[in-house]
Amino acid sequence: PHAAKALIDAVCSLRSRIRSKGGELLVRYGSEIVFGEEPGYYETSLSKKLIQFYACKDVKVINTCGYTLWHPNDLPQDPNEWYQLAHPKQKRKKKIYQDMPTNEDDNAADIVDVSPTRFRGMSRIMGEFRKAANSIAKVRDLFNEPERLVLPALFYGEYFSDHAGVIPSLEDLMQPVSSSSENDSLFGLDEKIIGFILEAAIKKTKTDNNKEINETTALERLEEFIDEGYACVADRSKVDVSDNNSSRFSVHFSLGTLSPRAVYWKASKDGKSCKWLCSHLEMRDFFLFTTFANNHRIFCL
């Protein structure tokens, strides 16, 4: 619920940004759910449970993966390709692997595969992973933000105000969770406990540093950290987030208010002094995709 509240605030901010350019963010309710995959055994287990939960309710589910720098679909597709790209000067006889199971679900085209099977053969050494990924995958370009938007004529007047749509409240978003029975709970929690968490999230409207989490504040922080030179002089040897030694992008990454790609392309254009940010994002991807690849085994020693 706390993350959902921050996402609602982010959507409200997005609507304001679009309106400032002359456009409108349309909000619609329907039988379709879109969500982003997050690395982690419990996170991926929950996403599977979410898909199964709504499958029997005739709801179309679409997942994305904007949490990482490289898109999963752009990375090597099989163990041989991983090895050959990571060790381009070594010769290796092609091995024959059993056919991987295919997803025959009607919604398969809308599902980004982040299962352990998809990352079979992925390099376990960071340097080899980065070499293989850089050899085949390009960080996808950003969408250009329009300077001005023009609404169709039918959106002016009463139609404009009546049909833009209302951004759902936290209570609206959490209704399927709060109304489900204990045996059918998405979170496996008692209804009263979910109620307490929901109530606390409603009261908490801002982060601890008293700054809202949305796209506007994320882009402001990105410009501040790079354009004002903090990234060039940040002492990365310290475990310290004060005095701009840290980018403090992690919260925005986790909520989707800032894309790793936005940081990558911004840092790339700023010169060698900010290249370390690109390097750190690649390192971050190694750990994220390692988590996807190992599933519950990530906890095994």
Side-chain angles (χ1 to χ4, degrees):
H2 291 281
K5 181 66 174 66
L7 287 174
I8 292 173
D9 293 340
V11 173
C12 291
S13 173
L14 178 61
R15 169 172 271 181
S16 297
R17 280 176 61 84
I18 293 176
R19 285 178 173 175
S20 69
K21 294 178 179 294
E24 178 58 87
L25 176 67
L26 302 181
V27 178
R28 296 291 182 264
Y29 293 77
S31 56
E32 183 173 294
I33 294 177
V34 181
F35 71 95
E37 291 283 1
E38 294 186 10
Y41 170 65
Y42 295 107
E43 288 80 0
T44 53
S45 297
L46 182 60
S47 70
K48 290 179 182 177
K49 195 173 182 180
L50 183 71
I51 293 173
Q52 294 171 355
F53 181 84
Y54 285 106
C56 61
K57 301 181 183 296
D58 196 27
V59 175
K60 184 178 182 180
V61 178
I62 301 174
N63 74 339
T64 63
C65 191
Y67 198 78
T68 56
L69 178 64
W70 285 300
H71 193 281
N73 293 350
D74 299 335
L75 294 175
Q77 298 292 323
D78 62 66
N80 296 306
E81 190 175 19
W82 275 110
Y83 186 88
Q84 291 165 4
L85 291 173
H87 308 88
K89 296 183 180 180
Q90 295 184 21
K91 293 183 179 180
R92 184 193 196 199
K93 293 183 179 180
K94 187 176 181 66
K95 289 187 176 181
I96 299 176
Y97 292 90
Q98 293 181 350
D99 292 337
M100 296 181 183
T102 57
N103 189 348
E104 298 180 353
D105 192 331
D106 291 337
N107 290 332
D110 299 317
I111 300 297
V112 177
D113 187 4
V114 291
S115 65
T117 304
R118 161 66 183 86
F119 297 104
R120 185 182 179 186
M122 191 190 90
S123 307
R124 297 184 178 182
I125 299 175
M126 182 187 294
E128 294 181 358
F129 167 84
R130 294 176 65 186
K131 181 185 290 186
N134 277 305
S135 297
I136 193 173
K138 178 183 180 294
V139 177
R140 295 188 177 185
D141 293 328
L142 299 174
F143 294 106
N144 294 324
E145 181 177 331
E147 295 182 1
R148 190 70 183 166
L149 296 170
V150 179
L151 287 171
L154 65 102
F155 278 96
Y156 291 96
E158 293 183 3
Y159 188 93
F160 178 83
S161 58
D162 295 340
H163 292 76
V166 178
I167 295 175
S169 64
L170 183 58
E171 294 90 337
D172 294 333
L173 289 182
M174 299 305 297
Q175 192 276 331
V177 177
S178 58
S179 63
S180 60
S181 64
E182 184 175 354
N183 294 331
D184 199 27
S185 173
L186 277 175
F187 299 144
L189 299 175
D190 181 79
E191 185 178 349
K192 291 183 179 180
I193 296 177
I194 293 177
F196 289 141
I197 297 174
L198 181 60
E199 184 179 352
I202 293 174
K203 291 180 180 179
K204 186 179 176 72
T205 58
K206 294 188 177 181
T207 58
D208 293 337
N209 63 359
N210 202 35
K211 203 166 188 178
E212 292 182 356
I213 302 174
N214 54 52
E215 185 183 32
T216 301
T217 56
L219 294 175
E220 287 175 353
R221 175 56 185 167
L222 177 61
E223 293 181 1
E224 176 189 39
F225 189 65
I226 293 182
D227 292 346
E228 296 187 17
Y230 293 121
C232 302
V233 298
D235 188 349
R236 306 191 299 279
S237 64
K238 296 180 178 179
V239 185
D240 180 16
V241 297
S242 63
D243 297 326
N244 287 295
N245 285 318
S246 169
S247 66
R248 298 198 288 272
F249 294 149
S250 58
V251 174
H252 295 292
F253 284 163
S254 65
L255 291 173
T257 50
L258 182 65
S259 166
R261 293 181 297 138
V263 178
Y264 177 89
W265 288 117
K266 177 80 171 173
S268 296
K269 294 176 181 178
D270 201 68
K272 293 183 178 180
S273 59
C274 289
K275 287 293 184 181
W276 67 269
L277 273 171
C278 302
S279 181
H280 281 212
L281 288 171
E282 292 180 4
M283 296 179 193
R284 175 178 178 267
D285 260 26
F286 169 74
F287 292 110
L288 296 178
F289 284 115
T290 296
T291 305
F292 280 131
N294 287 277
N295 203 13
H296 66 280
R297 293 177 298 170
I298 198 73
F299 298 107
C300 300
L301 298 177

